[in-house]
Amino acid sequence: MSLQLPAAKTIIEPFRIKVIEPLAMLSATERSAALTKAHHNLFGLPADKVTFDLLTDSGTSAMSAEQWSAMMRGDESYAGARSYYRFEKAVQDLTGLTHIIPTHQGRSAEYLLMKALLNKPNMYVLGNTHFDTTRANIESTGAKAIDLPCEETHKPNSMDNFKGNIHLEQLKSFITDHPNQVALVIMTITNNSVGGQPVSLQNIKEAKAICKTHQIPFFIDCARFAENAYFIQQREAGQKNRTVAQIAKEVFSYGDGALMSAKKDAFGNIGGFLAINDNALAEEVRRLMVITEGFPTYGGLAGRDMEALAVGLQEVVDENYLSYRIKSVEYFGKGIESCGIPTVKPWGGHAVYINAGATLPQIPSLHYPGQAIAAALYEHIGIRGVEVGSVMLGHYNLDEGTESPAPQELVRLAMPRRAYTQSHVDYMIEMMGHLAPHLSSLKGYKITKQPKYLRHFTCQFEKL
Ligand code: F0G
C-alpha cells in the first residue's frame, strides 16, 4: 500500500538536543527591578536576567556535536597548525577564492581590508548598505562609505522578493561621476541593515559586471550567505532545482574577495575571515595583521575555533536546516502580526523587526517608541530585543543640544541559530498577544545620560 500523507504544518527543528542550558525564569517584579537597575537600557542587563535573548544572532548559535568533536582536534601550533589547513580548505571549497586569512571576527577582517586598500585620499567604498562596523572601518581611514540600496528597500509595504539589492543605475553613475575614486564595492548578503533582506543572484552578477568594466574590486560580506542563497533558491526565477551549495558557489564566483563574520552563518561563537584572490593585496593584509591579529595561520583564533568554523560552514548549507530556519522566522513574524503588532515585511532571514512607530502612534519619535516596546517586551515577557530607531540611529549633537529622529522606529528581534525551539516561539507569540491590548497606554522615555558616540550601548533612560 502506498500512502501519500499531506506535508505537516508543524515546523520542526531538524535536530534533537544533547546538551541543555536552563532559561532564566523571573517574575515580572524581578525583571522590573533589573530594568530599573540598568537605567532602562537593555544592554545593561546581565544575561541571567533575560529569558529569551534576541539581542543578536551573532555568536549566539548552538554548536553541533560534530563541531564540538572537531574542537577536540584543535591544533594549537603557532604557525601552520593543522586546524588552519582544514579551515582554509573549508573556505576554499565554499568560495573558490585563493588566499584565506582567519580573523577574530568580522570587523577585524573589515579593518585589515580597509587599511590595506584605502591608502589614497578622497576614496569611496560603495555598497548595497554597509553594516555599522564596515562603515566605521571605512571612515576611520578617511574614505567615505556610500550606501546605494535599491528603490524597494525603504518601502515598508513593498513585498518585493529582493529588497536587499544594490541600485544598479546609481552604482554605474556614481562610478562614472567619480573616476578613479571608487576603491571597492561591497555587497552585503543578506542586507542586515535593512532587515536581513536578500540580494538576488542577478543583482550580484550585474553589480560584478559593472565593477569589472571599471576594474574595481567587488567583495562580498557573506555573514549570512547561506540564508541569502536559500532565498535565491526559493524566490528567484530558474533557481528552484539548484542546491543552496551550488547557488552559494556561483555567488562567490563573482567576488574578487569575501569577508565574513563567522559568528552568523558558520555557527561560530567567535571568528571570521578574509578571502582574497589578488596576491599583492593578500600579502599586504598578512603583513598588517601580525601587528593586531596574530600570525596569518591563526589570525586571533584558537586552532579549536577554526575547527568549529570549518564544520559549521559545511553544516549551514543543509537545506533541511535552512528551510526550518527561514520558516521559523517567518512563523514568528506572522505570529507577531496576528497579535496586531505591525512588523517589517517580507520577513528577512535572521530577525523580525517590529514597527514601533506604527504600533505606538501616541509616542513621538524623540520619546523613543522603540525603546518603549523593547522595555515592555523585556519587563512583561523576558525578551531582550534591540531598539533600531532614534536612540540608535538618530542624529544628536551634545554640544549644540540638537537631536533629529531616525527615518524609522523599529525593534529588532534577532533569532540565534539552533538555540530556541518552536515552543519558545509559540510562548513568545502567545505572551505578545496578552501584551498587545496594553501597548496603547505605554509612555515614552527621555535620555538622562549619554556619551558622545554610539549612545545606544550605554545611555541611561527615565520613563516619562
Ligand atoms: N557584517 C555584517 C553584515 C554584520 O551583520 C556584522 C555584525 C558584521 C559585519 C561585523 O561582524 O560582529 O563579527 O565583528 N553584526 C552583528 C549584528 C553584530 O548583531 O547584526 P562582527
Side-chain angles (χ1 to χ4, degrees):
M1 182 179 66
S2 78
L3 264 180
Q4 276 267 308
L5 298 184
K9 289 202 191 82
T10 308
I11 300 169
I12 59 163
E13 295 78 14
F15 47 82
R16 60 181 182 176
I17 296 165
K18 192 194 287 276
V19 178
I20 60 113
E21 245 184 313
L23 289 182
M25 305 293 275
L26 287 89
S27 68
T29 318
E30 288 168 321
R31 284 193 296 259
S32 186
L35 196 57
T36 307
K37 201 167 165 203
H39 302 280
H40 303 276
N41 187 331
L42 300 180
F43 282 98
L45 288 172
D48 68 358
K49 303 279 188 240
V50 178
T51 307
F52 302 104
D53 208 342
L54 310 189
L55 196 57
T56 180
D57 65 321
S58 181
T60 51
S61 297
M63 290 211 295
S64 66
E66 289 301 318
Q67 283 180 292
W68 282 110
S69 313
M71 284 181 81
M72 282 307 291
R73 214 168 45 206
D75 174 358
E76 306 304 341
S77 303
Y78 189 92
R82 294 166 187 85
S83 302
Y84 168 72
Y85 293 108
R86 279 193 278 269
F87 175 74
E88 180 191 44
K89 182 171 185 317
V91 181
Q92 281 173 340
D93 287 351
L94 172 72
T95 64
L97 293 160
T98 313
H99 300 282
I100 310 304
I101 299 167
T103 62
H104 80 267
Q105 61 185 84
R107 64 198 70 183
S108 35
E110 293 162 1
Y111 172 80
L112 291 168
L113 178 65
M114 301 315 160
K115 195 141 171 98
L117 204 62
L118 305 177
N119 47 16
K120 282 188 277 179
N122 304 321
M123 300 188 95
Y124 292 95
V125 179
L126 315 183
N128 47 345
T129 316
H130 296 296
F131 182 68
D132 321 9
T133 57
T134 320
R135 169 178 300 279
N137 275 307
I138 294 166
E139 298 196 334
S140 72
T141 69
K144 288 207 173 72
I146 307 286
D147 293 335
L148 302 172
C150 69
E151 269 159 31
E152 295 299 316
T153 301
H154 292 298
K155 293 184 191 160
N157 297 323
S158 158
M159 288 299 282
D160 195 81
N161 278 334
F162 292 103
K163 286 170 86 171
N165 281 355
I166 198 166
H167 197 303
L168 293 165
E169 289 310 312
Q170 286 179 5
L171 177 65
K172 239 186 261 173
S173 55
F174 195 101
I175 294 172
T176 321
D177 294 346
H178 300 81
N180 303 318
Q181 282 181 278
V182 178
L184 176 68
V185 173
I186 301 178
M187 190 70 103
T188 301
I189 60 173
T190 56
N191 193 339
N192 183 16
S193 306
V194 304
Q197 296 294 325
V199 179
S200 72
L201 192 58
Q202 186 64 27
N203 192 254
I204 294 169
K205 212 182 206 169
E206 289 183 39
K208 162 69 182 188
I210 295 168
C211 291
K212 196 168 178 199
T213 310
H214 295 87
Q215 295 181 312
I216 296 168
F218 179 70
F219 271 58
I220 296 166
D221 175 338
C222 60
R224 300 177 179 86
F225 76 94
E227 290 169 8
N228 199 81
Y230 183 76
F231 279 121
I232 289 175
Q233 186 199 54
Q234 297 296 307
R235 295 180 178 178
E236 193 159 347
Q239 301 300 322
K240 275 257 168 330
N241 297 324
R242 300 178 74 197
T243 65
V244 165
Q246 285 167 337
I247 294 168
K249 193 112 206 204
E250 183 178 347
V251 166
F252 283 114
S253 75
Y254 300 118
D256 298 302
L259 56 172
M260 181 174 197
S261 165
K263 298 169 72 175
K264 284 86 172 171
D265 267 354
F267 298 122
N269 299 126
I270 197 70
F273 65 78
L274 243 178
I276 299 175
N277 275 346
D278 185 83
N279 296 338
L281 181 61
E283 198 178 313
E284 177 60 5
V285 168
R286 286 182 170 133
R287 190 186 68 77
L288 285 170
M289 72 185 292
V290 180
I291 307 167
T292 54
E293 285 291 288
F295 192 72
T297 59
Y298 74 86
L301 294 174
R304 64 181 80 101
D305 297 326
M306 292 188 281
E307 295 281 356
L309 298 180
V311 174
L313 284 172
Q314 287 161 3
E315 288 181 352
V316 76
V317 292
D318 176 78
E319 296 184 15
N320 290 320
Y321 159 73
L322 284 167
S323 156
Y324 141 77
R325 165 84 176 155
I326 303 300
K327 278 190 191 141
S328 179
V329 171
E330 181 185 305
Y331 177 91
F332 193 28
K334 262 190 202 152
I336 296 173
E337 287 264 331
S338 74
C339 304
I341 301 174
T343 62
V344 177
K345 292 191 289 293
W347 299 291
H350 66 287
V352 176
Y353 288 70
I354 293 178
N355 186 341
T359 311
L360 304 180
Q362 77 273 22
I363 302 182
S365 296
L366 293 181
H367 291 170
Y368 316 123
Q371 163 65 16
I373 295 254
L377 289 177
Y378 172 68
E379 198 171 338
H380 302 290
I381 312 180
I383 300 172
R384 170 156 70 173
V386 61
E387 191 262 14
V388 184
S390 292
V391 178
M392 186 192 272
L393 303 175
H395 291 285
Y396 65 105
N397 184 321
L398 290 185
D399 300 329
E400 292 169 16
T402 54
E403 184 174 7
S404 55
Q408 281 182 290
E409 303 298 331
L410 306 176
V411 175
R412 181 178 87 166
L413 302 178
M415 290 303 275
R417 292 169 182 76
R418 308 192 292 206
Y420 294 105
T421 64
Q422 279 300 107
S423 73
H424 292 142
V425 176
D426 280 328
Y427 175 91
M428 289 190 276
I429 295 169
E430 182 185 344
M431 294 306 287
M432 282 194 217
H434 296 313
L435 179 63
H438 305 285
L439 292 174
S440 58
S441 62
L442 287 186
K443 300 267 189 308
Y445 283 80
K446 74 172 180 191
I447 294 179
T448 52
K449 195 170 171 206
Q450 57 187 314
K452 248 183 159 167
Y453 307 106
L454 295 172
R455 66 179 176 183
H456 58 285
F457 291 124
T458 54
C459 69
Q460 300 184 355
F461 297 94
E462 225 169 63
K463 251 187 196 170
L464 289 168

